[in-house]
Amino acid sequence: MILVGEDPASAVYVRNKVAACEKAGMRSLRDVYAPDVDPAVVFKRIAELNADPTVHGILVQLPLPKHFDSEAVLESISPEKDVDGFHAENVGALMQGNPRFIPCTPYGVMKMLESANVPLKGAEVVIVGRSNIVGKPMAMLLLAQSCTVTICHSQSKDLAFHTRRADILVAAVGRAKMITGDMIKPGATVIDVGINRTPEGKLCGDVDFETAKEVAGAITPVPGGVGPMTITMLLANTLEAAERCVK
Ligand code: GUN
C-alpha cells in the first residue's frame, strides 16, 4: 500500500486495510511518502513492487497530491497486481464483461445485494455519482446483471425525479446526508457509499439515515455498511491475484 501525503481520511483507510491484512494472515507493507515527494520516487517504488514475486497486490491510495499524474501512476502498476482494478486494462476488461479485478467498493456492493437476495433482473437502479472508483464500475456490474441503470451526477436536472424511480439507489457523491427520505421510493434498497463528516465531526453517509430508514425496504448504515465490504473485497482480490500466480 502506497500512501502519499497527510489526508487524514486516507490515512485511516490505509490503516484499516493494513489491519485487515494482519487479521487475515496476509503480509502487508505500507509505504508512506511526504506530500511533496518527487513522483519519480513513487514510480521507482511501484516498479520494484511490480518485479517482486513475493508481492501479489499493489494499491496506491487515492487521491494523490495535485503534482501527481494519477492516471500515469495507476497505469504504472502491473495489471496482474492491480487489486483495486483501476488500471485501464482492468477497467476495459470490466467494460467488456470479462472482469479480472473488480474495483473493491462496487464489488462489495454486489456481494451485499446478492447476500440480501435483492432482485436484480430488470430492476430500476439509480446511481448518484460518476466516479471511476464507484459510480462507473458500479453501473457496469449492475448492467451485467440486467438492471436498468441510470447514472446521476452534479449536473443532473431534478435528481429526486430519478431517485424516486429507483428500486435500488446507490449514493456515491460524497455530500453528507444529501439523499433524504422524500427522495426514496417506498420499499427501495438504499446503498450508501458516502463517508462524510458532519460539522460536529461525526461520520455520516450521503443518505440521511433517519428519514431514509422510514421509507426504504433495506438500507446500509455508515459507518459499518459498505466500508468493511470494500476492505473485504480488497483482500479477496489480493488472494485471487496470489492464486493466479500458482496456477
Ligand atoms: N480512495 C477512495 N476509495 C479508494 C479505493 O477503493 N482505493 C484506493 N486506492 N483509493 C481510494
Side-chain angles (χ1 to χ4, degrees), residues 4 24 28 43 58 115 124 141 147 161-162 164 169 196 223-224 229:
V4 183
S28 71
F43 279 112
I58 304 169
S115 76
E124 286 287 342
L141 293 170
C147 298
F161 164 79
H162 293 286
R164 280 191 204 115
L169 178 59
N196 312 291
M229 287 305 295

Side-chain angles (χ1 to χ4, degrees), residues 13 17 59-63 84 86 104-105 133 230:
Y13 299 151
K17 290 170 187 177
L59 175 154
V60 176
Q61 187 65 31
L62 301 175
D84 253 335
F86 295 162
C104 306
T105 298
I133 293 178
T230 294

Side-chain angles (χ1 to χ4, degrees), residues 60-96:
V60 176
Q61 187 65 31
L62 301 175
L64 286 166
K66 292 230 172 342
H67 68 288
F68 272 81
D69 177 349
S70 299
E71 210 172 291
V73 172
L74 296 178
E75 294 314 295
S76 76
I77 297 172
S78 163
E80 287 76 28
K81 298 188 180 186
D82 170 37
V83 287
D84 253 335
F86 295 162
H87 190 288
E89 252 184 51
N90 290 323
V91 175
L94 174 65
M95 185 112 183
Q96 287 181 321

Side-chain angles (χ1 to χ4, degrees), residues 11-32:
V12 172
Y13 299 151
V14 169
R15 205 181 314 134
N16 290 344
K17 290 170 187 177
V18 168
C21 285
E22 250 162 54
K23 201 171 157 201
M26 270 183 201
R27 185 176 70 113
S28 71
L29 310 168
R30 181 175 55 159
D31 293 356
V32 183

Side-chain angles (χ1 to χ4, degrees), residues 28 38 43 53 56 62 74 83 88 159 168 170 192 196 202-203 225:
S28 71
D38 181 348
F43 279 112
H56 298 104
L62 301 175
L74 296 178
V83 287
L159 178 62
I168 302 170
V170 181
D192 191 351
N196 312 291
K202 235 183 105 193
L203 275 186

